[in-house]
Amino acid sequence: LSLTSLSQSLFDSSVKLLQLRAVNSRAKSFYLPLTKCLFFQVLIKVHVCGVNPVETYIRSGTHARKPALPYTPGSDVAGVVESVGEHVTAFKKGDRVFTLETLSGGYAEYAVAAANRVFPLPDKLDFRQGAAIGVPYFTAYRALLQKGRARAGESVLVHGASGGVGLAACQIARAYGLKVLGTAGTEEGMNVILRNGAHQAFNHRDPNYTERIKACTGPGGVDIIIEMLSNVNLDADLQLLSCAGRVMVVGCRGRIEINPRDTMSRESSIIGVGLFLATEEERRECAAAILGGVEAGWLKPVVGLEYPLEKVAQAHEDIIHSSGARGKMVLLV
């Protein structure tokens, strides 16, 4: 991914955005007329946009979702309402908001979103933190509570817990009364996990880390695993589960071979998690829980690496190939 800057000598009403015009192509900067929002839409002046691994998969054409081109990535926007459609009553110009999804793409100076994908940004959070809420926390809540059926007193292992979704899962699981175990690839990442809800942390670069997890959980195993890299870990995950345990597949970058007999011996489950399949009722449930967590003080988004919009190429490279995440990656617009 590389960027080509275009001349900024365009008319005053133009806004900058990044567009992909072919699969796995270079993303280029364009200046297009400022759009107007329709009946149930909100136009947001973007301050910060979160970066998610799935955006790199979509760009490369390896994800199941293949949007029409040209396409501007970006779902997790935080900013200020510029205008609203005539049927929108929940927001007004000047409101601080964050989004779960955008219609026009978030890698831009302005973004359009459906009103039911826009939420008020609490005063206690800044725009960087606001851009770290949407996909990470909604995904973590869906994986744990809606699909994983987590219950207080159960144990959960969060693989790759130092990234955006992982830290969200740690905070939510701790708040809901679970015993939280997390893995990271660096000492710094492990410390971040422990500061954000994990009872114990393990370095997944340690060749014996799964044995250490088994020693921690005992013969009963772990009840839920939140899996960010199932193409690497799924086979080993099945050996760590309790009876009726479940692996929640949040992330995957390829194929893996497993022995289905491993699920039979524990009557365990492998469950895929797709936030885009959530119903409107499920999204409202997520939003209520997340905003309630901010109010209660246990939900505190952790922001990691920050990049200017022009450095999105480096951001995409780092989110896939970095040695270890330390919070949610964001673009400063």
Side-chain angles (χ1 to χ4, degrees):
L1 178 70
S2 61
L3 299 175
T4 300
S5 296
L6 302 185
S7 170
Q8 298 188 24
S9 58
L10 297 174
F11 47 93
D12 292 340
S13 61
S14 65
V15 297
K16 183 178 182 179
L17 53 81
L18 301 184
Q19 278 191 347
L20 300 170
R21 299 203 164 186
V23 173
N24 209 21
S25 68
R26 297 185 301 171
K28 297 183 179 180
S29 300
F30 290 90
Y31 287 82
L32 300 178
L34 181 62
T35 187
K36 294 183 179 180
C37 47
L38 302 178
F39 300 115
F40 295 99
Q41 297 176 352
V42 178
L43 177 65
I44 301 164
K45 179 173 174 52
V46 179
H47 285 238
V48 186
C49 183
V51 179
N52 297 296
V54 69
E55 289 150 16
T56 71
Y57 310 153
I58 293 172
R59 177 183 59 80
S60 65
T62 59
H63 195 267
R65 296 167 62 194
K66 294 178 172 58
L69 300 173
Y71 166 68
T72 298
S75 300
D76 297 333
V77 160
V80 176
V81 173
E82 178 70 18
S83 62
V84 299
E86 62 180 272
H87 293 169
V88 176
T89 59
F91 302 101
K92 64 182 185 305
K93 182 179 173 64
D95 286 347
R96 300 169 76 249
V97 295
F98 71 92
T99 67
L100 173 62
E101 183 181 323
T102 65
L103 296 170
S104 61
Y107 293 10
E109 293 176 330
Y110 288 82
V112 175
N116 62 354
R117 301 292 189 272
V118 180
F119 306 93
L121 179 61
D123 291 338
K124 62 177 65 176
L125 300 182
D126 60 30
F127 290 119
R128 294 155 57 255
Q129 292 173 303
I133 298 175
V135 168
Y137 281 88
F138 279 70
T139 298
Y141 184 91
R142 181 166 179 78
L144 279 167
L145 282 305
Q146 293 180 338
K147 308 302 290 186
R149 307 179 309 282
R151 299 183 297 274
E154 289 191 312
S155 58
V156 59
L157 169 64
V158 183
H159 263 311
S162 62
V165 176
L167 288 171
C170 288
Q171 292 179 5
I172 293 171
R174 184 66 177 256
Y176 279 75
L178 280 78
K179 179 180 179 180
V180 185
L181 314 177
T183 73
T186 65
E187 191 70 27
E188 183 180 0
M190 292 169 65
N191 290 332
V192 170
I193 292 169
L194 292 170
R195 291 196 300 268
N196 284 276
H199 294 89
Q200 289 191 263
F202 304 86
N203 190 327
H204 56 66
R205 300 186 191 280
D206 176 356
N208 298 314
Y209 86 96
T210 56
E211 296 304 315
R212 298 181 189 280
I213 293 172
K214 289 178 182 178
C216 176
T217 60
V222 66
D223 298 304
I224 304 172
I225 298 177
I226 305 297
E227 184 53 73
M228 313 297 177
L229 197 61
S230 54
N231 58 297
V232 172
N233 300 320
L234 185 58
D235 184 54
D237 289 344
L238 297 177
Q239 318 304 320
L240 297 173
L241 287 175
S242 64
C243 287
R246 46 269 191 216
V247 179
M248 313 308 300
V249 178
V250 172
C252 182
R253 298 180 189 175
R255 294 178 177 273
I256 186 172
E257 182 177 327
I258 64 168
N259 185 351
R261 191 177 296 277
D262 292 333
T263 67
M264 298 164 60
S265 61
R266 297 174 174 82
E267 290 194 325
S268 56
S269 304
I270 303 169
I271 303 172
V273 179
L275 182 57
F276 65 97
L277 293 174
T279 66
E280 193 60 39
E281 182 180 358
E282 288 171 331
R283 290 191 190 93
R284 285 196 296 267
E285 177 190 331
C286 287
I290 288 165
L291 292 173
V294 175
E295 183 64 27
W298 58 259
L299 193 156
K300 299 176 181 178
V302 178
V303 177
L305 295 174
E306 303 176 12
Y307 300 79
L309 186 61
E310 294 75 15
K311 297 293 184 180
V312 66
Q314 189 62 52
H316 274 208
E317 181 74 15
D318 291 348
I319 202 169
I320 296 299
H321 300 295
S322 67
S323 60
R326 299 177 302 280
K328 170 73 171 188
M329 181 182 289
V330 298
L331 298 174
L332 307 179
V333 179

